[in-house]
Amino acid sequence: MTALQSWVPVPADSDFPVQNLPYGVFTPARAHSPRVGVAIGEHVLDLSAIWAGTPLGADLATGSLNRFLRRGPVEWAYVRERVTALLTTEDERALVEANLHRIDEVRLHLPVEVADYVDFYASEEHATNLGEMFRPGGEALLPNWKHLPVGYHGRSGTVVVSGTEIRRPGGQRKGPQDPAPVFGASVKLDIEAEVGFVVGAGSAMGEPVAVDDFARHVFGAVLLNDWSARDIQAWEYVPLGPFLGKSFATSISAWVVPLAALEAARVATPVQQPEPLPYLVEKEPWGLDLAIEVRLNDAVVSRPPFAGMYWSPAQMMAHTTVNGASLRTGDLYGSGTCSGPAADQRGSLIELTWNGRDPLTLPDGSTRTFLEDGDSVTLRASAPGADGVRIGFGEVTGTVRG
Ligand SMILES: O=C(O)/C=C/C(=O)CC(=O)CC(=O)O
Ligand SMILES: [Ca+2]
Ligand SMILES: [Mg+2]
């Protein structure tokens, strides 16, 4: 079978072949209003113009994906099929050409108005590493960890789009030897390389959502950097968990890759032993084979493999609703920091430098324990796609300001 191809030119190394078609929100040059588009190669197709004059067109002519997402999986599939046809047959080439914009000439916005943001802790390697550093002498993995996907509610109002500058947070910190806490700018500003999952279709309060209904509710995935102030976190987090050390900023990529583009990337999670309770057992695997790359000032410092995550995003969704809590359009689940078993597969600086003990040396000869003002961090990710192509996520990038 030959690979499906678009008549819109797609460079060989592009993140956005026609098998991907990720969704974003953009404002064209010389226009004033944001709208929903789909990326193809180096272009974005304005979907609000394709469906102009229809109720769907109105839902696409807004500053977030939420109204489109609320329509649910049947309409998501219809739009994807129609866009695929427009980009692969030349039947309506003039209409499409009139509504293609070069991505480097448009303004990209936060794609989703985030409803609730939950941050999980699904990497066994990451949880073990952090446990060893934060709770030395105790069991690294706490007794609940293999029975449920541990998480906490984050701050949806500070989720920002890739490219947004990150201000170094201030707060309280107190080292174990310090007599009293001090206030000041964080001196242990860190990153967390994660994948975020975006809920499209909500659910009713009081009705748990089954693990195998994942694709009926969750629309797609983004790259997510959960900026973390380790000094603030270490002092504040007992006993209720992360709070101000992680609520100042969370960056996500501008493009939401639909689950429909990730079919070829689906893999089973690692063997889960002890077997989880029945509501967490998936019939269809929802692990994902994504290769993540972490760059600090253009140098690759880590390559975390998402396929090794212990808990799948479908299990995260089932767990957040098992008590009857509803899903809302725009809910965002961070997977938790993705770390692999090897030293160069860790998804945070606290692990890469072992809490500052082993500084990283960058190609310019400088060293880092945690982030300095002016540092930029960029995450990218790739997955196997249909027809043997590579599905890319674009990037999530941010620069630290003092
Ligand atoms: O183990 C702890 O006390 C702290 C854990 C984290 O900082 C992890 C977190 O935010 C969730 C994650 O991204 O894995
Ligand atoms: Ca996190
Ligand atoms: Mg955060």
Side-chain angles (χ1 to χ4, degrees):
M1 203 186 81
T2 56
L4 196 63
Q5 280 206 332
S6 178
W7 53 264
V8 177
V10 175
D13 60 349
S14 173
D15 274 0
F16 307 135
V18 73
Q19 290 80 359
N20 189 349
L21 303 179
Y23 289 72
V25 174
F26 74 102
T27 302
R30 289 180 297 281
H32 296 289
S33 50
R35 73 265 338 248
V36 171
V38 154
I40 175 75
E42 294 166 314
H43 291 84
V44 52
L45 175 63
D46 180 349
L47 297 191
S48 73
I50 299 296
W51 274 278
T54 68
L56 174 58
D59 282 355
L60 296 165
T62 66
S64 82
L65 291 173
N66 293 46
R67 279 166 60 180
F68 166 63
L69 297 184
R70 196 166 289 132
R71 288 174 165 258
V74 174
E75 295 232 23
W76 308 337
Y78 156 72
V79 170
R80 182 171 171 83
E81 199 177 304
R82 177 90 183 109
V83 171
T84 302
L86 287 170
L87 294 172
T88 54
T89 72
E90 302 200 35
D91 298 353
E92 292 180 74
R93 182 165 175 151
L95 171 71
V96 172
E97 276 178 339
N99 292 294
L100 281 177
H101 303 263
R102 284 193 59 85
I103 292 174
D104 56 15
E105 292 174 359
V106 306
R107 213 147 39 91
L108 292 168
H109 306 283
L110 185 69
V112 176
E113 190 185 324
V114 180
D116 286 299
Y117 165 44
V118 176
D119 185 23
F120 284 93
Y121 195 35
S123 158
E124 182 170 358
E125 287 77 13
H126 172 73
T128 303
N129 290 337
L130 273 261
E132 287 177 17
M133 282 183 269
F134 277 156
R135 292 171 287 277
E139 280 293 312
L141 276 192
L142 291 167
N144 59 2
W145 198 89
K146 290 208 165 176
H147 294 277
L148 53 85
V150 169
Y152 67 94
H153 280 91
R155 187 162 189 84
S156 54
T158 51
V159 178
V160 294
V161 71
S162 176
T164 305
E165 235 179 15
I166 302 303
R167 268 192 90 154
R168 180 179 298 273
Q172 287 195 26
R173 61 172 181 274
K174 180 190 167 310
Q177 284 7 301
D178 300 339
V182 295
F183 179 85
S186 170
V187 295
K188 287 193 171 182
L189 183 57
D190 198 357
I191 58 153
E192 291 191 323
E194 306 193 22
V195 176
F197 296 89
V198 176
V199 171
S203 68
M205 196 168 155
E207 290 172 26
V209 179
V211 65
D212 290 309
D213 283 343
F214 182 63
R216 293 203 179 94
H217 292 275
V218 169
F219 173 75
V222 293
L223 284 170
L224 186 151
N225 182 353
D226 182 21
W227 305 91
S228 298
R230 301 300 181 189
D231 40 5
I232 298 173
Q233 178 184 357
W235 166 232
E236 74 175 358
Y237 87 103
V238 273
L240 292 186
F243 187 30
L244 303 184
K246 285 164 175 287
S247 65
F248 56 95
T250 304
S251 300
I252 63 170
S253 51
W255 300 106
V256 184
V257 175
L259 293 185
L262 296 172
E263 275 298 314
R266 290 175 61 179
V267 291
T269 59
V271 174
Q272 296 181 328
Q273 200 58 46
E275 188 175 1
L277 288 166
Y279 79 91
L280 289 170
V281 176
E282 1 180 82
K283 286 203 260 329
E284 301 282 342
W286 273 109
L288 290 168
D289 179 17
L290 314 181
I292 303 174
E293 178 187 273
V294 183
R295 285 178 184 259
L296 172 52
N297 299 341
D298 286 331
V300 176
V301 294
S302 180
R303 295 185 191 278
F306 196 79
M309 296 295 268
Y310 191 86
W311 296 105
S312 80
Q315 292 174 313
M316 297 174 201
M317 180 208 68
H319 188 63
T320 52
T321 63
V322 74
N323 63 349
S326 53
L327 297 171
R328 285 197 295 170
T329 298
D331 284 352
L332 176 67
Y333 300 148
S335 60
T337 312
C338 181
S339 292
D344 60 357
Q345 294 178 321
R346 295 170 177 166
S348 64
L349 290 172
I350 192 173
E351 296 170 87
L352 287 164
T353 71
W354 211 257
N355 203 10
R357 186 193 68 191
D358 309 324
L360 289 176
T361 302
L362 300 181
D364 66 3
S366 65
T367 58
R368 287 295 181 285
T369 50
F370 293 92
L371 296 172
E372 296 187 358
D373 292 346
D375 282 349
S376 293
V377 176
T378 304
L379 311 182
R380 303 184 66 86
S382 290
D387 306 333
V389 303
R390 186 181 71 85
I391 300 291
F393 279 68
E395 65 178 26
V396 59
T397 188
T399 301
V400 176
R401 183 154 72 90

